[in-house]
C-alpha cells in the first residue's frame, strides 16, 4: 500500500484518511474536485513531501484512468452525500455516485491496482428490520442518495465477479468528528451552542444512530486495504452501539456545559417514508477479518470534536445560522 489514490480527499473523511495514510508512510495522490478557485477544501494548508494534490472529477473516465495510473491502492470516497439535497438534485447523485464509481472501477482495472476500497454507507440498509444490522440485511433505498449508493456498491461488486477486480465495499456507519459538514446532526448542535445559541434548531430527534469517530473510520479503511481474503465483500465499519438523536444532543450539551432547549425546524425533517429511524450496526465481520477495533467511545470522540469546533478559527468557517442541505 505504498502508492495510493484517495478520491474525495478534500472532504471530511477523505482529509482525515489522507493524514492517516501519510502517517503510515504512504505516497498519497489526493483528488480534490476541480473548481476555478483552485480550492482544495480540507486539504488547504496540508503539506507533506509524500502528498500530491490533483484536481479533477470522478465523472470523467479519462481523468480517472490517468489518476489511477501508478497506484497500488485506491480509496474511493468521492460522492455527493447530503441526503436532503438528493431530493432536489437526484440526477447529480446518479452522475457522481454511480457513474463516478464505474469510472473508478474501470480505471482501477486498467491500472492493475492491488486493492480498491469503495466507500458505501449505512443508509443503504434503511430503517433496521433487525438489529444489529449485519451485511446480509436487505437494502432499502429510502432516499435518492441511498439508491445511488446501492447502485455504486453493485457496480463495484460486479467488477469483482466479472473481472476479478480486487475491490472491497467498506460500509461506515455514522461518522463524525472535526471538519464534518454542518448538515449533520453533531456539528449542527455543536456550532449552534458554540455560537451562544440556546434554542437549538434540529430535525427529528427520535431516530437512533451508530456513531463512529472519524479516526476509527479511517483505521477501518486502512485495515480493509491491508487484510487478506476480503475481496468482493461488503464490510461494515461500526461501533455496534446506538444512541438517539435526543440523547446525543443532551450529551453534547452536558460536555459543553450548556443549558439549552431545542426546537424542531420543519425544513430539517425528511419526507415521511425517507427517514431512517434506526441504525445499529454489527461489526463482527470486520473484527473477525482484521485486527480493527473501535478505539474511541462516543464521549471521547465528542470531546475531541467539540474542542476542534470551539476553536474560533475553525468555528468561523461554519454558517451556523443557515440550514445547509
Amino acid at each position: 500500500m505504498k502508492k495510493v489514490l484517495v478520491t474525495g480527499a478534500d472532504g471530511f473523511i477523505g482529509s482525515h484518511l489522507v493524514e492517516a495514510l501519510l502517517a503510515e508512510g504512504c505516497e498519497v495522490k489526493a483528488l480534490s474536485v476541480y473548481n476555478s478557485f483552485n480550492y482544495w477544501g480540507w486539504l488547504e494548508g496540508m503539506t507533506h513531501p509524500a502528498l500530491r494534490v490533483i484536481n479533477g472529477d470522478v465523472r470523467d473516465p479519462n481523468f480517472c484512468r490517468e489518476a489511477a495510473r501508478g497506484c497500488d491502492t485506491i480509496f474511493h470516497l468521492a460522492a455527493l452525500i447530503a441526503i436532503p439535497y438528493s431530493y432536489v438534485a437526484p440526477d447529480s447523485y446518479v452522475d457522481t455516485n454511480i457513474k463516478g464509481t464505474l469510472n473508478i472501477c474501470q480505471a482501477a482495472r486498467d491500472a492493475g491496482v492491488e486493492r480498491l476500497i469503495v466507500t458505501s454507507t449505512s443508509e443503504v440498509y434503511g430503517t433496521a428490520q433487525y438489529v444489529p444490522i449485519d451485511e446480509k440485511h436487505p437494502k432499502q433505498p429510502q432516499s435518492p442518495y441511498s439508491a445511488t449508493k446501492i447502485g455504486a456498491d453493485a457496480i463495484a461488486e460486479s467488477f469483482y465477479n466479472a473481472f476479478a477486480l480486487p475491490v472491497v465495499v467498506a460500509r461506515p456507519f455514522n461518522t463524525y468528528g472535526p471538519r464534518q459538514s454542518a448538515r449533520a446532526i453533531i456539528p449542527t448542535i455543536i456550532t449552534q451552542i458554540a455560537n451562544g445559541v440556546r434554542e437549538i434548531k434540529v430535525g427529528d430527534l427520535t431516530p437512533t444512530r451508530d456513531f463512529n469517530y472519524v479516526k476509527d473510520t479511517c483505521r477501518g479503511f486502512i485495515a480493509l486495504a491491508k487484510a487478506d481474503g476480503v475481496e468482493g465483500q461488503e464490510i461494515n465499519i461500526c461501533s455496534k452501539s446506538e444512541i438517539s438523536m435526543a440523547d446525543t444532543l443532551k450529551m453534547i450539551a452536558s460536555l459543553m456545559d450548556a443549558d439549552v432547549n431545542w426546537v424542531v425546524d420543519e425544513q430539517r425533517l425528511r419526507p415521511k417514508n425517507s427517514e431512517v429511524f434506526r441504525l445499529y450496526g454489527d461489526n463482527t465481520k470486520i473484527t473477525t477479518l482484521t485486527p480493527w477495533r473501535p478505539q474511541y467511545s462516543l464521549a471521547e470522540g465528542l470531546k475531541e470534536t467539540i474542542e476542534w469546533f470551539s476553536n474560533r478559527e475553525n468555528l468561523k468557517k461554519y454558517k451556523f445560522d443557515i440550514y445547509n442541505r
Side-chain angles (χ1 to χ4, degrees), residues 157-316:
E157 290 165 16
S158 76
F159 267 69
Y160 172 76
N161 292 324
F163 309 116
L165 182 69
V167 60
V168 180
V169 175
R171 186 163 293 135
F173 277 59
N174 305 91
T175 302
Y176 70 96
R179 306 178 199 150
Q180 188 175 20
S181 164
R183 62 172 181 76
I185 184 69
I186 287 175
T188 288
I189 295 167
I190 294 173
T191 54
Q192 289 183 75
I193 293 176
N195 278 286
V197 176
R198 291 297 172 260
E199 191 170 80
I200 309 301
K201 293 181 180 179
V202 292
D204 191 344
L205 291 181
T206 59
T208 67
R209 293 293 183 260
D210 184 327
F211 285 117
N212 296 269
Y213 190 51
V214 66
K215 290 181 181 178
D216 279 336
T217 298
C218 291
R219 288 177 45 253
F221 279 121
I222 293 172
L224 293 175
K226 292 180 176 182
D228 294 325
V230 295
E231 296 89 344
Q233 300 191 52
E234 306 171 57
I235 303 176
N236 291 340
I237 304 174
C238 56
S239 67
K240 204 172 184 178
S241 64
E242 67 178 329
I243 184 172
S244 71
M245 301 290 197
D247 287 340
T248 302
L249 189 155
K250 292 173 185 175
M251 182 180 290
I252 293 170
S254 175
L255 290 170
M256 297 183 74
D257 195 24
D259 182 15
V260 297
N261 297 310
W262 61 85
V263 59
V264 174
D265 182 358
E266 293 292 328
Q267 67 176 330
R268 299 171 191 255
L269 297 174
R270 297 191 195 181
K272 180 181 177 182
N273 294 323
S274 185
E275 180 63 82
V276 174
F277 285 101
R278 191 177 190 190
L279 287 173
Y280 167 25
D282 188 339
N283 60 16
T284 300
K285 196 171 186 179
I286 190 172
T287 57
T288 300
L289 294 172
T290 79
W292 181 89
R293 303 289 186 278
Q295 291 186 347
Y296 282 80
S297 69
L298 180 57
E300 290 168 338
L302 284 176
K303 286 177 184 177
E304 287 196 9
T305 305
I306 290 166
E307 181 179 3
W308 186 88
F309 275 99
S310 297
N311 181 301
R312 302 311 297 184
E313 289 301 308
N314 297 328
L315 187 61
K316 72 181 183 182

Side-chain angles (χ1 to χ4, degrees), residues 71-197:
C71 293
D72 305 312
T73 305
I74 298 176
F75 295 88
H76 177 47
L77 283 76
L80 284 176
I81 61 172
I83 294 166
Y85 188 56
S86 77
Y87 302 139
V88 297
D91 251 25
S92 301
Y93 285 71
V94 172
D95 287 344
T96 300
N97 298 352
I98 297 179
K99 293 182 180 178
T101 299
L102 171 62
N103 291 339
I104 289 295
C105 286
Q106 289 177 322
R109 182 187 177 208
D110 290 346
V113 301
E114 297 172 10
R115 183 65 54 86
L116 166 62
I117 305 294
V118 168
T119 307
S120 182
T121 169
S122 56
E123 286 284 326
V124 304
Y125 295 126
T127 297
Q129 295 183 16
Y130 62 83
V131 293
I133 299 170
D134 59 20
E135 291 81 358
K136 295 179 181 179
H137 189 285
K139 308 297 193 299
Q140 301 177 109
Q142 290 182 220
S143 67
Y145 163 68
S146 64
T148 62
K149 294 299 284 185
I150 291 170
D153 296 350
I155 287 288
E157 290 165 16
S158 76
F159 267 69
Y160 172 76
N161 292 324
F163 309 116
L165 182 69
V167 60
V168 180
V169 175
R171 186 163 293 135
F173 277 59
N174 305 91
T175 302
Y176 70 96
R179 306 178 199 150
Q180 188 175 20
S181 164
R183 62 172 181 76
I185 184 69
I186 287 175
T188 288
I189 295 167
I190 294 173
T191 54
Q192 289 183 75
I193 293 176
N195 278 286
V197 176

